[in-house]
Amino acid sequence: MQDYQDEKIIIRDIADKFIWTIGVRYLIIVLGAILVFLSTRINNAMPLILQLIFFVAAYNIIAHVIYMLKRPRSLWGLISIGWIFQFLDLIAITFLIYISGWLESPFWFLYFVMIILAGFGMFSYYSFSVFVIAFSSALFYLGLLLALYLKILPIYGTDYALSPQELFFLIYNKAVFASLAFLLLAVTIYYFSNLLNDQRKELSSNNRKLLAILEKIKDVDRMKDEFISTASHELRTPLSVVRENVALVEDKIAGDITEKQKQLLSTALLNIDHLAKILDNLLDIAKIESHSLTLKREACNLAQLAHKAVDLLSNKARQKNISLEFKIPSAISVWVDVGQIVRVIINLLDNAIKYTPSGGKIALNANNYNDTIEFSISDTGCGIAKNDFSKVFERFVHIKKEENAPVKSTGLGLSICKSIIEMHGGRIWFTSELGKGSKFTFSLPKVTPHD
């Protein structure tokens, strides 16, 4: 399987290089045609230059058609086609050197370009092609020099006024220098290509290991969610039975009890309710993470939703002598799941009451904007330290508000609020100053008359 993936990567590399070289050829053809058109000097090599341009254009169009047809699809088929067109490039370069002064031609460096391109982007065993191109370049160049020395081909450009022996040594030195240069360049490119290939393989291996670890983490996380969901479901039924029985005893249905026993039973009921709330939160977290919590949206009045939360918690605020200011316009409508948004408001208001000292003040506000509404609950409580800001919406995190604070918390409420608001397409944030209070705000899409 991995060999198949590596082969796909190599095929993609070669295909990318193939279309890139097609584009480079088109550019060279256009530049060559422009130079010929602007040239004022007509010599006997001009027809050969035009023939060379047409030759390169012809086989480049064929290469483009082959690429468009996506043939061949196999690795070695693509490599073979690539070599064919590289050899055609070498023929074109050799012909250009031939008609532009052979020994004095400035274009013999194009062989170096071909060797570099042969190894460019080939981080695989295909990088050995640089030696094939280097050997072929040396062969074509030496063959050209030999053919001109033996006068097999007519000479275009400089005809050296040298003795045959002097011309031979000149050609010999040029050939040796070019061959060694081709070889050294090929060795260098091959070395770095293999070095990059080793690095790619190592990165690929590390990536596979990382993906395997991530998959294991996902499995553990999924097992954790399943355990939480199953445990919560299994605990709710016996917990309900326990609560019902304790309530029956507290209400003296099972017989008379003393005042001390009644206090103990009341404390037990409070703790049972607290445990039930924890179980409900754990179930909701599991539903949110598994994307099984569905929203039942409907158009509703925001002020009415806020009043439901205030009605439920007004006694709790009154016990601490906390004043509640309600500043929500009655004409604001939202498209939400009523139960979930009421739950968010209850959670935020309950937190504000918990962390606001006796005699404090809590304000509920709403602002009406073009596309959204913003709902906020601000308090005059103890506030949150700046170094705890990043933890506020994290799960199972308890922010220490003040020394010896008796407040109990599951550490899940704000995390659930954040998830619910984001599921509605809104966002939630807060501002706070230690010792002065906090302000929690969330935004929701607003219902328009056209909705």
Side-chain angles (χ1 to χ4, degrees), residues 99-222:
I99 62 178
S100 59
W102 62 305
L103 282 175
E104 289 187 346
S105 175
F107 297 111
W108 74 282
F109 77 92
L110 293 176
Y111 287 126
F112 290 109
V113 176
M114 286 296 300
I115 296 171
I116 293 171
L117 291 178
F120 178 72
M122 292 297 105
F123 310 142
S124 65
Y125 56 84
Y126 178 63
S127 57
F128 77 89
S129 63
V130 294
F131 291 110
V132 177
I133 299 302
F135 176 77
S136 301
S137 298
L139 194 64
F140 276 97
Y141 190 55
L142 295 178
L144 174 65
L145 296 182
L146 183 61
L148 291 170
Y149 174 74
L150 298 176
K151 300 188 182 300
I152 297 174
L153 296 173
I155 295 176
Y156 289 89
T158 304
D159 190 1
Y160 295 93
L162 301 172
S163 66
Q165 187 176 9
E166 291 174 333
L167 182 60
F168 175 79
F169 279 113
L170 181 62
I171 292 174
Y172 174 79
N173 292 333
K174 187 79 171 182
V176 170
F177 171 77
S179 299
L180 289 176
F182 294 160
L183 178 62
L184 289 174
L185 181 61
V187 170
T188 302
I189 293 175
Y190 181 77
Y191 170 77
F192 283 106
S193 292
N194 278 275
L195 186 64
L196 289 171
N197 183 42
D198 292 340
Q199 293 294 323
R200 182 188 65 81
K201 287 182 177 179
E202 184 177 352
L203 288 173
S204 180
S205 175
N206 292 337
N207 185 53
R208 289 194 299 272
K209 291 178 182 178
L210 180 60
L211 289 175
I213 293 172
L214 289 175
E215 197 62 36
K216 289 182 180 179
I217 292 174
K218 286 182 180 179
D219 290 338
V220 172
D221 198 49
R222 185 171 59 252

Side-chain angles (χ1 to χ4, degrees), residues 272-340:
I272 290 172
D273 290 338
H274 181 66
L275 182 57
K277 184 179 179 181
I278 292 175
L279 292 177
D280 289 338
N281 286 337
L282 289 173
L283 280 172
D284 288 332
I285 285 289
K287 287 180 181 179
I288 289 169
E289 290 188 345
S290 63
H291 305 287
S292 60
L293 181 65
T294 56
L295 299 178
K296 299 176 181 179
R297 296 174 185 257
E298 58 181 287
C300 55
N301 185 276
L302 181 62
Q304 292 178 359
L305 300 186
H307 270 300
K308 289 182 180 180
V310 171
D311 291 342
L312 287 170
L313 295 170
S314 57
N315 286 335
K316 189 174 182 179
R318 197 178 300 114
Q319 290 172 4
K320 294 183 68 174
N321 194 27
I322 296 172
S323 63
L324 298 178
E325 293 184 2
F326 197 89
K327 300 178 181 179
I328 301 176
S330 59
I332 298 180
S333 294
V334 287
W335 179 256
V336 296
D337 183 314
V338 174
Q340 296 297 343

